[in-house]
Coordinates of all heavy atoms in Angstrom, one line a residue:
A1 N -6.0 -9.0 -46.4 CA -4.7 -9.7 -46.2 C -4.8 -11.0 -45.4 O -4.1 -11.9 -45.7 CB -3.8 -8.7 -45.5
V2 N -5.6 -11.0 -44.4 CA -5.8 -12.2 -43.7 C -6.4 -13.3 -44.6 O -6.0 -14.5 -44.5 CB -6.7 -12.0 -42.5 CG1 -7.1 -13.2 -41.7 CG2 -6.0 -11.1 -41.5
Q3 N -7.4 -13.0 -45.4 CA -7.9 -14.0 -46.3 C -7.0 -14.5 -47.3 O -7.0 -15.6 -47.7 CB -9.2 -13.4 -47.0 CG -10.3 -13.0 -46.0 CD -11.5 -12.4 -46.7 OE1 -11.3 -12.0 -47.9 NE2 -12.6 -12.3 -46.0
L4 N -6.0 -13.6 -47.8 CA -5.0 -14.0 -48.8 C -3.9 -14.8 -48.2 O -3.5 -15.8 -48.8 CB -4.5 -12.8 -49.5 CG -5.5 -12.0 -50.4 CD1 -5.0 -10.8 -51.0 CD2 -6.1 -12.9 -51.5
T5 N -3.3 -14.3 -47.2 CA -2.1 -14.9 -46.7 C -2.4 -16.0 -45.6 O -1.6 -16.9 -45.4 CB -1.2 -13.9 -46.0 OG1 -1.9 -13.2 -45.0 CG2 -0.8 -12.8 -47.1
G6 N -3.5 -15.9 -45.0 CA -3.9 -16.8 -43.9 C -3.1 -16.6 -42.6 O -3.2 -17.4 -41.7
Q7 N -2.4 -15.4 -42.5 CA -1.6 -15.1 -41.3 C -2.4 -14.0 -40.5 O -2.8 -13.1 -41.1 CB -0.2 -14.6 -41.7 CG 0.6 -15.7 -42.4 CD 0.9 -16.8 -41.5 OE1 1.0 -16.7 -40.3 NE2 1.1 -18.0 -42.1
P8 N -2.4 -14.1 -39.2 CA -3.1 -13.1 -38.5 C -2.3 -11.8 -38.4 O -1.1 -11.8 -38.4 CB -3.3 -13.7 -37.1 CG -2.2 -14.7 -37.0 CD -2.0 -15.2 -38.4
I9 N -3.0 -10.7 -38.4 CA -2.3 -9.4 -38.3 C -2.5 -8.9 -36.9 O -3.6 -8.9 -36.3 CB -3.0 -8.4 -39.3 CG1 -2.8 -8.9 -40.7 CG2 -2.4 -7.0 -39.1 CD1 -3.5 -8.0 -41.7
L10 N -1.3 -8.6 -36.3 CA -1.4 -8.1 -34.9 C -1.7 -6.7 -34.9 O -1.1 -5.9 -35.7 CB 0.0 -8.4 -34.2 CG 0.4 -9.9 -34.2 CD1 1.8 -10.0 -33.5 CD2 -0.6 -10.7 -33.3
A11 N -2.5 -6.3 -33.9 CA -2.9 -4.9 -33.8 C -1.7 -4.2 -33.1 O -0.9 -4.7 -32.4 CB -4.1 -4.8 -32.9
P12 N -1.5 -2.9 -33.5 CA -0.3 -2.2 -32.9 C -0.6 -2.0 -31.5 O -1.7 -1.7 -31.0 CB -0.4 -0.8 -33.7 CG -1.8 -0.7 -34.2 CD -2.2 -2.1 -34.5
V13 N 0.4 -2.1 -30.8 CA 0.4 -2.0 -29.3 C 0.9 -0.7 -28.9 O 2.1 -0.3 -29.4 CB 1.1 -3.2 -28.6 CG1 1.1 -3.0 -27.1 CG2 0.6 -4.5 -29.1
G14 N 0.3 0.0 -28.1 CA 0.8 1.3 -27.6 C 1.9 1.2 -26.6 O 2.2 0.1 -26.1
P15 N 2.4 2.4 -26.2 CA 3.6 2.3 -25.2 C 3.1 1.9 -23.9 O 2.0 2.2 -23.4 CB 4.1 3.7 -25.2 CG 2.9 4.5 -25.7 CD 2.1 3.7 -26.6
K16 N 3.8 1.1 -23.2 CA 3.5 0.5 -21.9 C 3.7 1.5 -20.9 O 4.7 2.4 -21.0 CB 4.3 -0.7 -21.6 CG 4.1 -2.0 -22.5 CD 4.8 -3.1 -22.1 CE 4.5 -4.3 -22.9 NZ 5.3 -5.5 -22.6
A17 N 2.9 1.5 -19.8 CA 3.0 2.4 -18.7 C 4.2 2.0 -17.9 O 4.4 0.7 -17.7 CB 1.8 2.4 -17.9
P18 N 5.0 2.9 -17.3 CA 6.1 2.5 -16.5 C 5.7 1.7 -15.3 O 4.7 2.2 -14.6 CB 6.8 3.8 -16.1 CG 5.7 4.8 -16.3 CD 4.8 4.4 -17.4
S19 N 6.3 0.6 -15.1 CA 5.9 -0.2 -13.9 C 6.5 0.4 -12.6 O 7.5 1.1 -12.6 CB 6.3 -1.6 -14.0 OG 7.7 -1.7 -14.2
A20 N 5.8 0.1 -11.4 CA 6.2 0.6 -10.1 C 7.5 -0.1 -9.7 O 7.6 -1.4 -10.0 CB 5.2 0.5 -9.1
P21 N 8.5 0.5 -9.1 CA 9.7 -0.1 -8.7 C 9.4 -1.2 -7.6 O 8.5 -1.0 -6.8 CB 10.5 1.0 -8.1 CG 9.6 2.1 -7.7 CD 8.4 2.0 -8.7
A22 N 10.0 -2.3 -7.8 CA 9.8 -3.4 -6.8 C 10.4 -3.1 -5.5 O 11.3 -2.3 -5.4 CB 10.5 -4.7 -7.4
D23 N 9.7 -3.6 -4.5 CA 10.1 -3.5 -3.1 C 11.4 -4.2 -2.9 O 11.4 -5.5 -3.1 CB 9.0 -3.9 -2.1 CG 9.4 -3.6 -0.7 OD1 10.4 -2.9 -0.5 OD2 8.6 -4.0 0.2
P24 N 12.5 -3.5 -2.5 CA 13.8 -4.3 -2.3 C 13.7 -5.3 -1.2 O 14.4 -6.3 -1.3 CB 14.8 -3.2 -2.0 CG 14.0 -2.1 -1.5 CD 12.7 -2.1 -2.2
S25 N 12.9 -5.2 -0.2 CA 12.8 -6.1 0.9 C 12.1 -7.4 0.5 O 12.1 -8.4 1.1 CB 12.1 -5.5 2.1 OG 10.9 -5.0 1.8
G26 N 11.2 -7.2 -0.6 CA 10.5 -8.4 -1.0 C 9.2 -8.7 -0.3 O 8.6 -9.8 -0.4
T27 N 8.8 -7.8 0.6 CA 7.7 -8.0 1.5 C 6.6 -7.0 1.1 O 6.8 -5.9 0.7 CB 8.0 -7.9 3.0 OG1 8.5 -6.6 3.2 CG2 9.0 -8.9 3.4
V28 N 5.3 -7.5 1.3 CA 4.2 -6.6 1.0 C 3.5 -6.3 2.3 O 3.2 -7.2 3.1 CB 3.2 -7.3 0.1 CG1 2.0 -6.4 -0.1 CG2 3.9 -7.6 -1.2
G29 N 3.4 -5.0 2.7 CA 2.8 -4.5 4.0 C 1.5 -3.8 3.7 O 1.3 -3.1 2.7
V30 N 0.6 -3.9 4.7 CA -0.7 -3.2 4.6 C -0.7 -2.2 5.8 O -0.6 -2.7 6.9 CB -1.9 -4.1 4.7 CG1 -3.2 -3.4 4.7 CG2 -1.9 -5.1 3.5
N31 N -1.0 -1.0 5.6 CA -1.0 0.0 6.6 C -2.4 0.2 7.2 O -3.3 0.8 6.4 CB -0.4 1.4 6.1 CG -0.3 2.4 7.2 OD1 -0.4 2.1 8.3 ND2 -0.1 3.6 6.7
L32 N -2.7 -0.3 8.3 CA -4.0 -0.2 8.9 C -4.0 0.9 10.0 O -3.4 0.7 11.0 CB -4.5 -1.5 9.5 CG -4.6 -2.7 8.5 CD1 -5.0 -3.9 9.3 CD2 -5.7 -2.4 7.4
S33 N -4.6 2.0 9.7 CA -4.6 3.1 10.6 C -5.7 2.9 11.6 O -6.8 2.5 11.3 CB -4.9 4.4 9.9 OG -5.0 5.5 10.8
P34 N -5.4 3.1 13.0 CA -6.4 2.9 14.0 C -7.5 4.0 13.9 O -8.5 3.9 14.6 CB -5.7 3.0 15.2 CG -4.5 3.9 14.9 CD -4.1 3.5 13.5
K35 N -7.3 5.1 13.1 CA -8.4 6.1 13.0 C -9.6 5.5 12.3 O -9.5 5.0 11.2 CB -7.8 7.3 12.2 CG -8.8 8.4 12.2 CD -8.1 9.6 11.4 CE -9.1 10.8 11.3 NZ -8.5 12.0 10.6
P36 N -10.8 5.7 12.9 CA -12.0 5.2 12.3 C -12.3 5.9 11.0 O -12.1 7.1 10.8 CB -13.1 5.4 13.4 CG -12.6 6.6 14.2 CD -11.1 6.4 14.2
S37 N -13.0 5.2 10.1 CA -13.3 5.8 8.8 C -14.6 6.6 8.9 O -15.2 6.7 10.0 CB -13.6 4.6 7.8 OG -14.7 3.8 8.2
Q38 N -14.9 7.3 7.9 CA -16.0 8.2 7.8 C -17.3 7.5 8.0 O -18.3 7.9 8.7 CB -16.1 9.0 6.5 CG -17.2 10.1 6.5 CD -17.1 10.9 5.2 OE1 -16.3 10.6 4.3 NE2 -18.0 11.9 5.1
S39 N -17.4 6.3 7.5 CA -18.7 5.5 7.7 C -18.8 5.1 9.1 O -20.0 5.1 9.7 CB -18.6 4.2 6.8 OG -17.5 3.4 7.2
V40 N -17.8 4.7 9.9 CA -17.8 4.4 11.3 C -18.2 5.7 12.1 O -19.1 5.5 13.1 CB -16.5 3.8 11.8 CG1 -16.6 3.6 13.3 CG2 -16.2 2.5 11.0
S41 N -17.7 6.8 11.8 CA -18.1 8.0 12.4 C -19.6 8.4 12.2 O -20.3 8.8 13.1 CB -17.2 9.2 11.9 OG -15.8 9.0 12.1
I42 N -20.1 8.2 11.0 CA -21.5 8.4 10.7 C -22.4 7.4 11.5 O -23.4 7.8 12.1 CB -21.8 8.3 9.2 CG1 -21.1 9.4 8.5 CG2 -23.3 8.3 8.9 CD1 -21.2 9.4 7.0
L43 N -21.9 6.2 11.5 CA -22.7 5.1 12.4 C -22.7 5.5 13.8 O -23.7 5.3 14.5 CB -22.1 3.8 12.1 CG -22.7 2.6 12.9 CD1 -24.2 2.4 12.4 CD2 -21.9 1.3 12.7

């Protein structure tokens, strides 16, 4: 079909995964726990 019509054929696209709800405050925070990690404990 591509060779006859010259038009590209789009592959079927599966259902999209539901996106995470946006943060209403519009800020991105990183939670840094003061508890040492396992690697620090081993060291």
Side-chain angles (χ1 to χ4, degrees):
V2 171
Q3 292 175 353
L4 292 175
T5 61
Q7 299 293 332
I9 298 177
L10 299 178
V13 180
K16 295 183 178 180
S19 59
D23 189 3
S25 61
T27 59
V28 178
V30 179
N31 185 14
L32 296 177
S33 176
K35 183 178 180 180
S37 62
Q38 186 178 3
S39 60
V40 176
S41 301
I42 295 175
L43 180 61

